[in-house]
């Protein structure tokens, strides 16, 4: 009993059956961007969320902080279900959760100085006077490796990497507990990516931050994440500790993704798993397992059974009826 209580306290975020559908214009159809996702984020960890473009991972991140209103499901932040909070209560809670956007060129208002951009969250929440906010901005710029003298400049005067550092400083302004990193390095050069990832890790260690790190760069995710969740067409198909997943992937989709990671040694060859066909439309996903139309090991039953995420090994969950031990996990759960 005590262990269960302790584990619950370690979970900063609990997502249960999260659904987000977008209506299609002039149609009764909906885009099933997120279609029943459940996972936890432990306090102080980095959970990587990976998958192909269009799988719904960014939508999950935005639903977590209600930039998108969930269609259904629960999103628990500590002891509050934020999916049901009133707007006034949600605004107060936003101090605890922030987001770093993918595009550093689109996420900063070109008409505002860096001082105004970073100080804006402080001003909205009524924190400090003008001089105190200016001191806070100067401190944040130093934290992210920029000269405080830059605060009176405008976004167009900075490189992409510098802009992303400014975005990180803005996310830190309110001392949040959770930061959604929505592909924060995908628009940057490789050398700058490493600098930003190292900065995020240093800030996490200093401030005890919790990250949901969304990316399609599997090498980056392996470097920064404690655990990794893999998404395909609106559903999570595998979750495990980072080392376990990269060394012993169970789901055929995860195995295909990992086989596509470039190998730095030209003499070493990786056995590439090439998936057939294109990703199905989220408006009308396949019956049963959504991955079956591209899966190299699919059988007839895959068209009838929509596999649940089940624990196959300790802490390692997968949603595939072909995975060894899946049926035993099913029996154990029932």
């Amino acid at each position: 009993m005590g262990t269960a209580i302790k584990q619950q306290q370690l979970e900063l975020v609990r997502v249960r059956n999260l659904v987000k559908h977008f209506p299609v214009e002039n149609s009764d159809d909906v885009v099933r961007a997120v279609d029943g996702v459940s996972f936890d984020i432990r306090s102080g960890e980095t959970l990587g969320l990976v998958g192909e473009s269009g799988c719904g991972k960014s939508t999950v991140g935005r639903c977590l902080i209600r930039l998108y209103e969930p269609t259904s499901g629960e999103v628990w932040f500590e002891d509050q279900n934020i999916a049901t909070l009133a707007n006034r209560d949600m605004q107060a809670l936003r101090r605890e959760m922030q987001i770093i956007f993918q595009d550093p060129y689109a996420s900063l208002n070109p008409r505002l100085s860096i001082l105004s951009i970073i100080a804006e969250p402080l001003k909205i929440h009524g924190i400090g006077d003008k001089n105190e906010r200016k001191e806070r901005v100067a401190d944040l710029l130093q934290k992210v490796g920029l000269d405080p003298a830059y605060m009176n400049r405008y976004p167009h005067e900075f490189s992409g990497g510098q802009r992303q550092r400014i975005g990180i400083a803005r996310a830190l302004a309110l001392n949040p507990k959770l930061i959604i990193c929505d592909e924060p390095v995908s628009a940057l050069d490789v050398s700058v990516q490493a600098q930003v990832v190292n900065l995020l890790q240093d800030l996490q260690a200093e401030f005890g931050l919790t990250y949901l790190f969304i990316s399609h760069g599997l090498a980056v995710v392996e470097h920064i994440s404690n655990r990794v969740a893999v998404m395909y067409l609106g559903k999570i198909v595998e979750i495990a500790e980072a080392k376990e997943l990269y060394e012993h992937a169970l789901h055929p989709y995860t195995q295909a993704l990992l086989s596509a990671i470039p190998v730095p040694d030209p003499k070493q060859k990786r056995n590439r798993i090439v998936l057939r066909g294109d990703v199905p439309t989220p408006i009308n996903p396949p019956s049963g397992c959504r991955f079956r139309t591209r899966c190299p090991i699919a059988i007839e039953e895959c068209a009838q059974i929509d596999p649940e995420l089940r624990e196959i090994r300790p802490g390692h969950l997968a949603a595939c009826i072909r995975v060894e031990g899946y049926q035993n996990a099913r029996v154990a759960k029932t």
Side-chain angles (χ1 to χ4, degrees), residues 14-25:
R14 303 191 304 281
V15 179
R16 297 292 179 266
N17 299 314
L18 178 64
V19 174
K20 179 57 182 177
H21 293 169
F22 294 97
V24 178
E25 190 175 359

Side-chain angles (χ1 to χ4, degrees), residues 9 31 38 48 136 202 235 249 261 266 277 281 290 302 323 333:
Q9 289 173 339
V31 176
S38 298
R136 174 66 173 158
D202 291 342
K235 287 182 174 288
I261 299 176
T281 172
R290 298 187 175 194
C302 296
V323 170
K333 184 175 180 180

